Amino acid sequence: MLDPFTAHLTRPLIAPSILAADFANLGRDCQDAMKAGADLLHVDIMDGHFVPNLSMGPAICGACRAACPDAYLDVHLMVSDPQFFFRPFADNGANAISFHIEVMESERHARTLAQEVRDLGCSPGIVINPPTDIRIMLPVIDAFDLVLVMSVNPGFGGQAFIPEVLDKCRLIRERLRPEQRLEIDGGINPQTALEAIDAGVDLLVAGSSVFGKPRPQWGEIIESLRGPKTHA
Ligand code: DX5
Ligand code: ZN
């Protein structure tokens, strides 16, 4: 299985969001995305409270794990009470578990929850929404393996990229250790991917621009989301 937290990446990593997959054929879509060159699979969890939508629960994550035993599962908890879900997702094959800074009561709360995720054998991630002030998150990012910047207001796939979040990406990038990842999520297509990579992002989530396209194109699209080839 891929380790996304290596100090020297040779290219940006791509995580298709299964929110845009065909739920009636989820195992097949996960397998085909991995075969097409995806590095991770992004699993969007919505509780109908933190965001105005419901998506999937731990059993669906477990089904993805069963379909793709070697895929890195990147779970994004858009929920009001993330702690409640750590163990159910860890037990169902999650590798990274990210939760939102907006639902943290304090810096200490965020650090405690990051450690709880680590204690379950998973990598913790912290997520920030477009309107949220970056200053509430910067003091805790050292405790996380990944920092996820939302480039849409969470809740739904297929929304337009919000370019203002790129400044946030640049500020975070300056403060990350080489083995920490900077992830972006929402409205990513080959054009916005370039802008995000330029702002220091090295892990890109893409839902509709992969699963929303005809299957034979997935490989080519995933490759184009990585931006121009660099000399590694
Ligand atoms: C938004 C989710 C995203 C979403 C991205 O609430 O967190 O992961 O699936 O979908 P696209 O790529 O279609 O914007
Ligand atoms: Zn997401």
Side-chain angles (χ1 to χ4, degrees), residues 17-20 42 44 46 51 76 78 150 152-160 185-188 205-209:
S17 166
I18 65 165
L19 188 64
H42 185 80
D44 281 312
M46 304 177 183
V51 290
H76 173 194
M78 286 163 275
M150 291 306 301
V152 297
N153 287 305
F156 301 91
Q159 303 183 74
D185 183 4
I188 294 297
V205 176
S208 21
S209 66

Side-chain angles (χ1 to χ4, degrees), residues 176-209:
L176 293 181
R177 299 184 300 273
E179 75 279 10
Q180 288 177 298
R181 295 282 80 84
L182 177 54
E183 184 173 22
I184 198 161
D185 183 4
I188 294 297
N189 57 43
Q191 177 54 41
T192 55
L194 282 181
E195 296 170 35
I197 292 165
D198 187 56
V201 167
D202 51 22
L203 171 50
L204 298 104
V205 176
S208 21
S209 66

